[in-house]
Amino acid sequence: MTIKRQQEAQGRLSALVKALSLQNMAIVYVFIILCIVLALSSDAFLRPRNIINIIRQASVVGVLAIGMTFLLSTAQFDLAVGAQAGFTGVVILLLIPVIGFIPALLSSLGIAVLIGLITGAIITKIGVNSLVTTLGTLSIIKGLLLVLTDGRILRGATPELRWFGSGEILSIPFPVIAFLGLGILGEFVLNYTRYGRYLLAIGGNREASKLAGLRVDEIIISAFVLSSICATIGGIILLGRIYSASPLGGVGTEFIAITAAVLGGTSIFGGEGSVWKTVVAVLLLQVLGNGFNLLNIGANYQELIQGFIMIGAVALYTYQRRRQ
Amino acid sequence: MSRSILEMRGITKIFPGVVALDEVDLDVARGEVHAVVGENGAGKSTLMKILSGAYERDAGSIFLNGQPADISAPADAIRQGIGIVYQDLPLVPSLTVLANIYLGREETGRLGRIDRARHLSRYERLCDSFGIYLPPDSRIRDLTVAERQLVEILKVLDRDAQVIVMDEPTATLDQNAKQALFQTVRQLQAAGKSFIFITHFIDEIFEIADRVTVLKDGCRVDTLEIDQTRPQEVVALMIGHSPREMFPDKTGAASSTPILQLRGIWINARIRDFSMTLHQGEILGLTGLVGSGCSDIVNLIIGNLAYDRGAVLLDGAPTRISSPYEAIKRGICLLPSDRKGSGLLLDFELAKNVSLSSIEKISPRQVIQFQRERRIAAQFIEKLRIVTPSARQRVRNLSGGNQQKVVLARMLRTDARILILDEPTQGIDVRAKEEIFLLMRQLADQGKAILFISSEFKEIAGVADRGIVLRNGAITAALDRNDISETRLVAAATML
C-alpha cells in the first residue's frame, strides 16, 4: 500500500515536471523573461496603469483568440472572425436608432449565432473545408460592411456602448474583465468539461470520435457558434473603445488570433488546446508592442518580430513532438 | 527448370521475434503465370517485397536469366525487369493516363517542357505491341478499377518488365473485368512476359495459372502443376495441420432470443440479398476476402451506410439506425478494424480513450471527474491485463494488443448488448489474441450478442458458434455449429 502511494506520489511529481517542461511552457517562460527584461529597462512597465492598459489593448484580439482556440482544438478554424467583429459594430450602430440599445445588442448576438450555424453547417454537412468556407464568409462579411457603411465611418456610439470599452467594475475596465473572465471560463470548459473533451476528441480523431458515438457534426457546428459569439463580444468591446465603426474595423485581427492560439501550443491539427496559454500568448504579443513603444524601437518592427516568434515557437513544438 | 527467368533460392526474412520467410524457393519460367497462395501471414507479401527491393533479405539469392541479381532497393528491381502492380494502385487521380505512366521519367524538350508528342508515340507503340488500348488523355479518377490496373500494367511494361507481379489483382474486379484482365494476361504471356499472381481465390488460379506455389507460416509447402492438381488439394496444403491456437470452448446457447436481424439487405450492387440473425449469448462469425462486403455490413449496422432494400430488426421490431451515435444509444457498439485510424485517439491518454463513449456516465454533470475516470481505467487495466505504466500513458506508446484492449474497454464501458468486433486480432500477438478470444466467450456467456468479423478463417472456425461467408456481396455459406470448419469457410470464400 505504501509502495503504491509512493508510486502515485512519484507519478504526480513526474506529471508536474512534465507540465512545467520547456515543451509545455515555452511560451509562458518567454513571456516571463520578456516582462522581466522590460521591467528592468523601463520604470513605466510595471505601473498598474500600464499593465491594465496592455490587457485592455489586448482584449479584442484576446477574445477572438479564445474562440479560435476552441475551433483549432477540433481541427477547424475561421478566417472571418476579425471582419465579423467589425461587422458587429456596424450592425449595432445602425440598429440602435431603429430598435434601441438592448435589442440592438441582442440582435448582434443573434446574428453571431446564425453566422456560426451556417458556417459550421456548410463545413460539416456539405463537407467544404474550413479554409475555403471561411475565406468565402470573410469576403461576404467584408462586402456587407462596405455595402452597409457605403465606405464611410459610422459614428454615434451611445454612453451605454462606451461602457463596454471603458466602464469599470471595482476600478477594473470591462474589456479586461471580459477578456480574462472568458479566458478562465474557456480554459475550464475546454479542459475540464465533457463538452471540451468532445471538442478535443474530435480534433484528435474525427472518425474514431464518430464511431465512438459522438455527434461529431453538431459539436463542430457548436464550436463555430462559440467562436462567432466570441467575435461578436470582441466587436462590442472594439466599438466601445473606439466609439465608431469603420468598414475595415477588425479586419486582419483573425490572423493575430490564430497566431496567438498557435503560439500557446494549440495544434492546428486539433486534439490539443490550452485557452490559458492562448491568453498568455495574446499578452506576449501585446507586451512586445508595448515594450517597443517604451524602448522607442517603434511599432513598425512588431509584425516582423511576431512572425519570427511564431515560426520559432511552432518549430520548437514540432521538433520536440517528432523526437518523442 | 532451365528456362527459368526468375529464381529465388533459400529466401529468409526474420522480423524481431518472427521468422517471416524460412528458406523459400520460387522459380518462374519465361511466359509462365505462377500463382502464389497462402493464408494471411503465410509470407506472400514479404516474399514479393523482397523481390521488389522494398525489404532486404536476411539470406538467400535471386537469379534473373540465370545471373545473380543484386536487388537491394526498388529501383534495382525495376531496372532489372521486375514490375509490381500493387493492389492499391498508386496512381495520381488528377493526372492523365499518359502523365501517370511517365511520371518521374518525363522526356523533356527545350526549357524543360514536357515532350508530349514523344510520350504519345511511345505510348502508342507500347499499346500496339501488347494489344492493349486506353485513351491516353483520360484522367485516372474517371477510370474504372480495371482500367487503372491496365495503366499500372502499361507502366511496368514501359519499363520493360519481364516478370510482372500482381498482388490480389481480382479482389476488386467484377466478373467481366476479371475475364478481360485474364485475356490481357494471356496476350502478354504469349509475348513472353511472366507473371506472379498473389491471390486468395483458389478457383481463379485454375483458370489462369500454369503452376502454383503454396506458402504456409513462412515456408514453401509445395509447388504444383495446375493440370495435375485440384482446388481441394491446394486448400488442404494452405491450411495444413499446424498446431492449433488455443480457442476457448464454444458454449453459445443453441436456441436463444434473436436480438439483431438483417432481412434481405441490398446496397447498390455491392451487397445482394443479405440476411442474418444474431442471438443473445452467441458469437456469430462473418468472414470473406477483401472486398467481399463484410465492412459494408458492419457500417450498415452501426448506421454509417444506408441500404437500398431490406430491413433491420432490433428485438424483433423494425428499426432504422442512421448514425453511430444512435447505434450506441440502442446498445450496439463497434470495435473498428482500423484500430489506429478509426479506433483510438492515439495522442490521448489511456483513461480518456477508455471513457470516450461513456463519459456521460462517468461524469453525470458537465464537469469531468478525472479521479473517477482514471479509477475506471485502472480497473480495466487490471481486468483486461493491459500492459502500461499507468492510466495516463498515451496509447500511441502501447503495443498493438494493448491498444486493442483499450478499445475493448471502451466498448465494455458502454454496457452495449450487441458487440461488433471487426478484425479484433489484426496485428496483435498470439497471447493477446487468446486473451481476446477468451474475453469474447466470457462476454457471450454473460448474454452479450457478438458479431465477429475476421478474414482469418481459422479464427472464425475456432471461436464462432456459427459462421456466415460472403463473397462479392452475397452469402456463399451459412454454417451452424456442427458444420463450421476452416476448410468449409475457406472453400466458401475462395471457390465458386
Side-chain angles (χ1 to χ4, degrees):
Chain A
M1 203 58 209
T2 45
I3 293 174
K4 198 171 178 188
R5 206 161 287 163
Q6 263 178 13
Q7 273 178 348
E8 268 173 28
Q10 256 174 20
R12 237 169 285 156
L13 187 68
S14 70
L16 186 69
V17 169
K18 204 182 145 206
L20 293 176
S21 69
L22 186 64
Q23 184 192 357
N24 272 311
M25 299 283 279
I27 190 71
V28 181
Y29 297 143
V30 171
F31 178 65
I32 292 170
I33 291 168
L34 182 68
C35 288
I36 292 172
V37 169
L38 284 174
L40 292 175
S41 47
S42 162
D43 294 339
F45 181 71
L46 278 184
R47 280 185 200 139
R49 248 188 96 93
N50 189 44
I51 291 176
I52 292 280
N53 240 332
I54 288 171
I55 304 176
R56 181 162 49 186
Q57 282 164 359
S59 60
V60 175
V61 169
V63 172
L64 262 54
I66 289 165
M68 193 66 77
T69 304
F70 274 77
L71 276 181
L72 290 174
S73 298
T74 64
Q76 305 289 338
F77 61 92
D78 188 342
L79 294 176
V81 291
Q84 210 187 318
F87 181 65
T88 301
V90 170
V91 166
I92 291 176
L93 287 187
L94 288 176
L95 282 182
I96 284 178
V98 187
I99 57 176
F101 175 67
I102 298 284
L105 218 56
L106 294 178
S107 304
S108 73
L109 287 169
I111 293 170
V113 173
L114 202 64
I115 292 175
L117 283 175
I118 294 170
T119 310
I122 292 170
I123 287 165
T124 55
K125 300 291 182 190
I126 304 178
V128 183
N129 81 34
S130 53
L131 174 72
V132 175
T133 308
T134 62
L135 269 178
T137 51
L138 170 64
S139 183
I140 290 171
I141 293 171
K142 275 162 81 175
L144 275 176
L145 274 170
L146 285 172
V147 170
L148 290 175
T149 61
D150 200 17
R152 288 165 308 169
I153 292 176
L154 299 184
R155 297 179 202 282
T158 58
E160 297 104 309
L161 263 181
R162 294 184 182 198
W163 185 83
F164 288 106
S166 51
E168 292 184 354
I169 302 173
L170 299 172
S171 70
I172 303 170
F174 173 78
V176 174
I177 291 172
F179 171 32
L180 298 183
L182 280 175
I184 292 165
L185 183 68
E187 175 65 22
F188 174 74
V189 170
L190 188 59
N191 282 312
Y192 296 88
T193 67
R194 277 178 358 206
Y195 175 68
R197 175 68 61 82
Y198 295 155
L199 293 174
L200 292 167
I202 290 166
N205 188 337
R206 188 164 164 177
E207 181 64 16
S209 299
K210 184 179 176 197
L211 293 178
L214 305 194
R215 277 182 288 188
V216 170
D217 289 356
E218 287 77 0
I219 293 165
I220 291 176
I221 293 172
S222 75
F224 275 99
V225 171
L226 279 186
S227 167
S228 182
I229 289 173
C230 282
T232 294
I233 295 174
I236 293 171
I237 296 172
L238 183 69
L239 180 61
R241 275 167 46 75
I242 62 176
Y243 311 149
S244 63
S246 91
L248 289 175
V251 173
T253 39
E254 61 274 358
F255 288 105
I256 311 177
I258 293 174
T259 305
V262 171
L263 270 182
T266 296
S267 163
I268 60 161
F269 302 114
E272 256 181 284
S274 165
V275 176
W276 79 268
K277 279 189 259 181
T278 296
V279 170
V280 171
V282 170
L283 292 175
L284 171 77
L285 295 177
Q286 193 62 46
V287 166
L288 213 57
N290 183 265
F292 285 176
N293 282 335
L294 290 179
L295 302 177
N296 287 323
I297 299 178
N300 294 345
Y301 287 90
Q302 189 178 345
E303 280 212 45
L304 186 74
I305 304 287
Q306 206 167 290
F308 281 117
I309 290 181
M310 160 122 164
I311 291 174
V314 176
L316 182 73
Y317 293 138
T318 310
Y319 174 71
Q320 281 178 327
R321 186 173 308 192
R322 270 183 24 192
R323 225 179 32 175
Q324 263 179 6
Chain B
M1 205 174 283
S2 58
R3 57 193 180 92
S4 288
I5 183 157
L6 168 72
E7 283 177 81
M8 300 177 84
R9 289 275 164 266
I11 303 291
T12 300
K13 177 72 191 175
I14 298 164
F15 290 116
V18 199
V19 179
L21 290 174
D22 189 3
E23 302 207 353
V24 172
D25 296 339
L26 178 73
D27 67 296
V28 179
R30 183 173 294 281
E32 179 191 28
V33 176
H34 195 119
V36 177
V37 300
E39 293 194 294
N40 290 338
K44 304 179 302 267
S45 28
T46 311
L47 187 65
M48 290 309 120
K49 280 180 177 159
I50 284 170
L51 179 60
S52 71
Y55 284 170
E56 227 168 292
R57 57 187 184 271
D58 293 312
S61 35
I62 300 175
F63 299 91
L64 283 164
N65 286 317
Q67 301 297 312
D70 171 29
I71 296 175
S72 49
D76 298 334
I78 293 168
R79 192 161 29 79
Q80 294 177 73
I82 291 165
I84 316 270
V85 175
Y86 291 98
Q87 192 180 353
D88 50 0
L89 305 172
L91 297 163
V92 184
S94 56
L95 295 181
T96 63
V97 169
L98 206 61
N100 267 283
I101 287 178
Y102 298 105
L103 189 65
R105 304 175 297 131
E106 289 83 357
E107 297 189 53
T108 49
R110 284 174 51 190
L111 300 174
R113 192 181 55 84
I114 291 176
D115 193 339
R116 186 186 137 78
R118 244 164 62 210
H119 283 176
L120 203 58
S121 67
R122 222 170 106 182
Y123 177 77
E124 276 163 359
R125 239 178 304 141
L126 183 71
C127 288
D128 287 348
S129 57
F130 295 109
I132 301 174
Y133 187 73
L134 270 179
D137 294 322
S138 304
R139 287 180 195 281
I140 298 297
R141 62 163 170 252
D142 301 328
L143 301 182
T144 64
V145 177
E147 289 167 333
R148 289 176 202 196
Q149 222 166 33
L150 275 187
V151 177
E152 278 286 307
I153 293 174
L154 284 170
K155 201 160 122 184
V156 301
L157 287 174
D158 184 69
R159 299 177 188 201
D160 202 22
Q162 297 304 314
V163 180
I164 299 168
V165 181
M166 302 197 77
D167 186 8
E168 290 285 353
T170 59
T172 46
L173 298 184
D174 62 31
Q175 195 57 33
N176 291 336
K178 196 175 84 184
Q179 288 309 327
L181 172 70
F182 286 175
Q183 188 55 41
T184 307
V185 168
R186 288 190 193 101
Q187 283 164 25
L188 294 171
Q189 202 182 354
K193 303 289 181 191
S194 308
F195 283 85
I196 297 176
F197 250 66
I198 312 290
T199 185
H200 275 110
F201 296 100
I202 304 302
D203 48 351
E204 285 174 5
I205 66 178
F206 283 82
E207 263 183 79
I208 188 76
D210 301 305
R211 286 189 298 164
V212 55
T213 290
V214 182
L215 296 182
K216 173 159 186 58
D217 300 331
C219 297
R220 186 184 69 109
V221 183
D222 207 347
T223 299
L224 305 164
E225 301 279 341
I226 285 296
D227 46 21
Q228 287 166 28
T229 182
R230 294 173 308 125
Q232 288 75 10
E233 189 185 4
V234 175
V235 169
L237 287 175
M238 260 169 67
I239 297 172
H241 298 283
S242 57
R244 289 266 150 220
E245 275 173 63
M246 286 296 294
F247 293 117
D249 289 340
K250 294 185 185 180
T251 50
S255 62
S256 64
T257 340
I259 294 191
L260 177 71
Q261 290 163 281
L262 270 59
R263 291 273 166 271
I265 299 281
W266 292 73
I267 305 173
N268 297 329
R270 305 215 308 266
I271 295 294
R272 301 192 302 276
D273 198 18
F274 179 89
S275 296
M276 65 164 228
T277 303
L278 181 62
H279 300 89
Q280 192 176 350
E282 75 166 348
I283 300 176
L284 174 61
L286 178 62
T287 189
L289 300 168
V290 175
S292 61
C294 291
S295 52
D296 286 339
I297 300 295
V298 170
N299 278 318
L300 178 153
I301 295 174
I302 61 158
N304 228 353
L305 183 67
Y307 49 95
D308 304 318
R309 264 202 282 155
V312 176
L313 286 77
L314 202 56
D315 296 316
T319 184
R320 192 118 208 168
I321 293 168
S322 59
S323 71
Y325 169 78
E326 282 176 35
I328 286 182
K329 286 272 176 274
R330 298 191 191 191
I332 303 174
C333 198
L334 167 72
L335 178 138
S337 60
D338 179 7
R339 180 170 61 237
K340 290 181 177 164
S342 50
L344 290 164
L345 304 166
L346 285 172
D347 289 315
F348 279 46
E349 62 190 51
L350 188 153
K352 292 180 182 176
N353 271 282
V354 171
S355 67
L356 187 63
S357 294
S358 55
I359 191 95
E360 273 102 350
K361 273 182 253 171
I362 294 170
S363 309
R365 285 184 295 172
Q366 271 289 342
V367 182
I368 291 178
Q369 302 180 20
F370 290 98
Q371 296 283 346
R372 186 154 176 233
E373 185 176 48
R374 284 188 201 126
R375 211 163 50 235
I376 285 163
Q379 286 164 8
F380 277 106
I381 289 172
E382 201 171 309
K383 190 172 152 199
L384 303 184
R385 281 187 279 159
I386 303 174
V387 181
T388 172
S390 81
R392 307 193 60 169
Q393 177 71 6
R394 292 205 303 174
V395 294
R396 185 185 288 283
N397 300 330
L398 300 180
S399 73
N402 288 306
Q403 287 181 342
Q404 198 65 293
K405 288 180 186 173
V406 171
V407 187
L408 272 167
R410 177 202 300 161
M411 286 185 97
L412 299 181
R413 268 302 299 180
T414 63
D415 295 327
R417 301 179 300 151
I418 300 170
L419 305 180
I420 304 173
L421 305 178
D422 193 358
E423 300 286 355
T425 60
Q426 214 167 56
I428 71 179
D429 65 67
V430 178
R431 234 186 85 101
K433 271 186 201 179
E434 289 176 5
E435 286 176 343
I436 285 174
F437 291 148
L438 189 62
L439 179 70
M440 284 165 64
R441 182 49 72 189
Q442 286 165 354
L443 290 166
D445 288 345
Q446 289 163 22
K448 308 272 191 203
I450 298 180
L451 181 62
F452 171 36
I453 296 97
S454 176
S455 50
E456 305 275 347
F457 302 109
K458 199 193 315 175
E459 292 183 358
I460 296 280
V463 176
D465 295 310
R466 298 185 297 123
I468 293 176
V469 184
L470 272 183
R471 178 167 170 170
N472 285 332
I475 294 178
T476 52
L479 304 168
D480 68 21
R481 144 195 319 263
N482 304 316
D483 298 336
I484 194 165
S485 72
E486 191 183 353
T487 315
R488 290 201 170 139
L489 293 168
V490 173
T494 62
M495 294 190 281
L496 284 173

